Amino acid sequence: GFHGLSHAYASRRAAELIGRPIEQLRIVTCHLGAGASLAAVQHGISVDTTMGFTPLEGLVMATRSGTIDPGLVPWLLQNTDMTAAQVADALEHSSGLLALAGSPDMVTVEDGAARGDPGAQLAIAVYVHRLRAGIASMASAMNGVDMLVFTGGVGENAASIRANATEGLGFLGVRIDAFANWVLALDADVTASDASVRTVVIEAREDVQIAAEVRDLLTNS
């Protein structure tokens, strides 16, 4: 599904990074960028994801709303002068971080939050809340988790988002090393020494996954 290539590569590369077969691992992959989604990868197979029929479902994104009460859509149509096309466009292009903080760019939003901007602070709080809940949901689909993987533009570069998200996941065994999290190079392990779940940051390489799948197709055809 959506971001499938990224989740496939990130889970495989993460297993390689810690030297364990992916067939033995329960991995939650977090593709966080302008679009964002999570996947539960159990023994190399995706068994759950946050996106649904469209990319709108799931996490709060740069301009997409993420999951909303479906009753909101008929309410808007019945109680405002918005058309169905306008509602669809708003949920896709004018929601998420843009609506909450005035910018779809996470760097700008983080800067605003650091300066005390209430909209930016709200956006970060909503983003992290949804992210934590989604990770816990993915873990429950596999009866636990062995690895947590961050990838994508935000996942790779926003150390504070990784820190804030993992702070609320100690009950799963997730704990990261603060220093490693802030100074990491890509494809790095940021797990704290006392954590039972490994946390890694993987560079998004969907191109590598495409090449690997083409090779497999040509080899087996």
Side-chain angles (χ1 to χ4, degrees):
F2 308 106
H3 296 143
L5 291 168
S6 179
H7 290 296
Y9 174 80
S11 57
R12 178 174 59 82
R13 176 65 182 129
E16 291 175 354
L17 191 66
I18 67 167
R20 290 185 59 186
I22 193 172
E23 293 80 11
Q24 297 177 3
L25 295 169
R26 298 165 298 176
I27 306 173
V28 176
T29 48
C30 308
H31 179 100
L32 308 178
S37 64
L38 309 178
V41 183
Q42 185 172 23
H43 306 153
I45 303 297
S46 176
V47 297
D48 200 0
T49 182
T50 54
M51 284 190 171
F53 177 68
T54 76
L56 275 177
E57 188 176 10
L59 303 176
V60 173
M61 304 175 219
T63 65
R64 295 178 185 141
S65 64
T67 298
I68 59 168
D69 179 350
L72 173 64
V73 175
W75 187 92
L76 288 171
L77 295 175
Q78 294 165 4
N79 294 278
T80 74
D81 58 0
M82 296 178 73
T83 66
Q86 288 172 327
V87 171
D89 183 71
L91 293 174
E92 180 77 31
H93 301 294
S94 303
S95 299
L97 295 178
L98 177 60
L100 291 166
S103 172
D105 179 64
M106 181 59 80
V107 173
T108 302
V109 176
E110 287 188 302
D111 288 345
R115 294 193 306 269
D117 178 78
Q121 291 175 336
L122 175 63
I124 295 294
V126 171
Y127 188 96
V128 169
H129 173 73
R130 290 286 187 88
L131 178 55
R132 286 176 180 168
I135 292 170
S137 176
M138 294 298 105
S140 73
M142 302 181 291
N143 194 30
V145 57
D146 302 305
M147 289 192 72
L148 177 62
V149 180
F150 290 97
T151 190
V154 174
E156 295 167 24
N157 298 298
S160 64
I161 295 297
R162 294 192 300 266
N164 288 334
T166 54
E167 279 178 8
L169 297 173
F171 70 99
L172 290 175
V174 175
R175 180 175 165 82
I176 63 173
D177 181 274
F179 180 77
N181 182 51
W182 284 98
V183 302
L184 67 84
L186 293 179
D187 289 16
D189 190 330
V190 297
T191 311
S193 59
D194 60 346
S196 59
V197 173
R198 301 287 288 273
T199 301
V200 299
V201 181
I202 299 296
E203 181 182 12
R205 292 298 306 270
E206 291 161 301
D207 57 330
V208 173
Q209 185 65 27
I210 291 170
E213 294 192 15
V214 169
R215 180 192 60 199
D216 291 344
L217 179 63
L218 294 176
T219 301
N220 297 320
S221 61

